[in-house]
Amino acid sequence: MCTVIVFHRRFDEFPLAVAANRDELLSRPSQGWTVSGSVFAPRDLVHGGTWIGVNAKGLLVALTNRAGASRDPTKRSRGEIPDIALASGSAAEAGQLLLELQPADFNPFHAIVADQRTARVVWSDGRSLHSLILGPGVHVITESSFQGAPPPRAHRIERLLRSLQRFDPDVLTHVLSDRHPGGMDSPFVDLEEFAYGTRSSAILGLAEDRSLLWESATRPTPNSFVDRSAELHAIRVTSETSLRVPS
C-alpha cells in the first residue's frame, strides 16, 4: 500500500475514515477483502500477509513501504506487520506493540494504526523505530513520507481534498483514481514500463454504530468500487454480541 489518507475526527458521521491505494507489481497475485476470524482484510498470495485491515474492535491498520531503502529479500515480510497489530484491541495498544518490533527484522515501512480515539504512525528506516501521533484532521501517508520535503503525490491529494467538507465516498473514489500529473506523482500510479502501479483501493468509515467499506479489487475507476459494508459491520456486531454477559 503506497497511499493512505487518514481522516481522524474530521467528520461527525465517521470519527475515523480512510481512503487508500495499494501500489504493487501488476502480476503479483492477491485476494480481495475476506473475513478471517475477527479480521477483515485483503491478502497477498505470495507471502500471505496484508497491507490493510480492520478487526472486530474497529481497529484499522494500514501499511506502506518506505522509499529510498534497498529491499533485503531475506528479511521477514512486511505484510506480517498489520496482522501483528490487528491482534490488539485498540490503536493505543497496537502502537505500543509495533514499537516492540525489531526494526532490523523488516525492510523499512510506515504502519498506520487508528481507531475512533487514537491514530498513530509507527515507521522504520530499518535501523530504528519512530512514532508520531496523528491529531484531528486529514493526514496523507505515502512511501515517501517523513523524509524532508512532502512528496508531490501528497500535495496533489491535499489539493483535491481542499473543498471536502463532509465524508463523501463519491469524491474519494475520484481522488483515488486520479491520474494527474502521472507517474509516481498521481494518486493512481501507472508505470506501464515496469508493469507496476495502483492495483486496488479501499474507502472505509468507522463509527460506534456504523461501518462502511467500499472496495475496488481491481485498478480503481470511479465506477469500480463495490459496497462491502454489510460484511464489515457483521464482524463488529458479532464481536459486540459475543462480549455481552447473559443476564
Side-chain angles (χ1 to χ4, degrees):
M1 179 76 64
C2 287
T3 300
V4 182
I5 310 166
V6 181
F7 303 90
H8 197 245
R9 300 186 210 168
R10 174 67 177 80
F11 306 117
D12 292 336
E13 183 180 7
F14 291 110
L16 173 62
V18 167
N21 275 348
R22 183 201 186 201
D23 304 331
E24 184 53 87
L25 291 171
L26 301 182
S27 61
R28 184 162 180 152
S30 61
Q31 181 182 48
W33 287 71
T34 56
V35 176
S36 177
S38 63
V39 172
F40 197 28
R43 287 286 156 193
D44 170 55
L45 296 180
V46 176
H47 293 297
T50 188
W51 54 95
I52 190 170
V54 182
N55 71 12
K57 301 290 188 181
L59 168 64
L60 182 142
V61 182
L63 187 77
T64 83
N65 296 344
R66 182 167 170 80
S70 59
R71 178 181 176 276
D72 183 347
T74 67
K75 294 189 176 185
R76 292 171 63 182
S77 169
R78 286 171 287 204
E80 297 177 31
I81 295 169
D83 283 327
I84 292 170
L86 286 165
S88 304
S90 68
E93 180 184 337
Q96 291 303 315
L97 186 62
L98 292 186
L99 287 171
E100 295 173 6
L101 295 176
Q102 295 299 315
D105 289 351
F106 299 92
N107 288 298
F109 65 85
H110 306 123
I112 299 96
V113 296
D115 57 24
Q116 295 176 58
R117 294 165 294 281
T118 303
R120 171 185 278 188
V121 179
V122 175
W123 60 271
S124 166
D125 58 11
R127 298 179 301 276
S128 57
L129 291 168
H130 309 263
S131 176
L132 177 67
I133 297 293
L134 302 178
V138 183
H139 308 273
V140 181
I141 311 299
T142 78
E143 75 285 349
S144 298
S145 295
F146 313 113
Q147 301 196 60
R153 191 187 321 141
H155 275 316
R156 171 66 180 166
I157 291 169
E158 288 165 357
R159 287 195 296 271
L160 291 171
L161 294 174
R162 192 167 295 159
S163 61
L164 188 65
Q165 298 299 316
R166 62 181 181 83
F167 180 76
D168 189 336
D170 288 334
V171 171
L172 295 176
T173 62
H174 282 82
V175 171
L176 293 177
S177 55
D178 184 86
R179 294 172 178 253
H180 181 80
M184 292 293 291
D185 293 339
S186 61
F188 186 110
V189 174
D190 190 8
L191 299 176
E192 291 186 5
E193 64 271 31
F194 299 106
Y196 179 91
T198 299
R199 286 281 309 276
S200 60
S201 302
I203 297 169
L204 297 109
L206 296 170
E208 288 294 338
D209 58 352
R210 188 181 176 199
S211 304
L212 180 147
L213 169 61
W214 281 19
E215 175 196 21
S216 177
T218 60
R219 308 190 80 189
T221 70
N223 298 316
S224 65
F225 288 78
V226 175
D227 189 349
R228 307 288 304 278
S229 305
E231 295 158 88
L232 174 57
H233 186 67
I235 68 166
R236 298 187 65 197
V237 170
T238 300
S239 172
E240 291 172 4
T241 302
S242 66
L243 291 174
R244 291 176 188 152
V245 178
S247 56

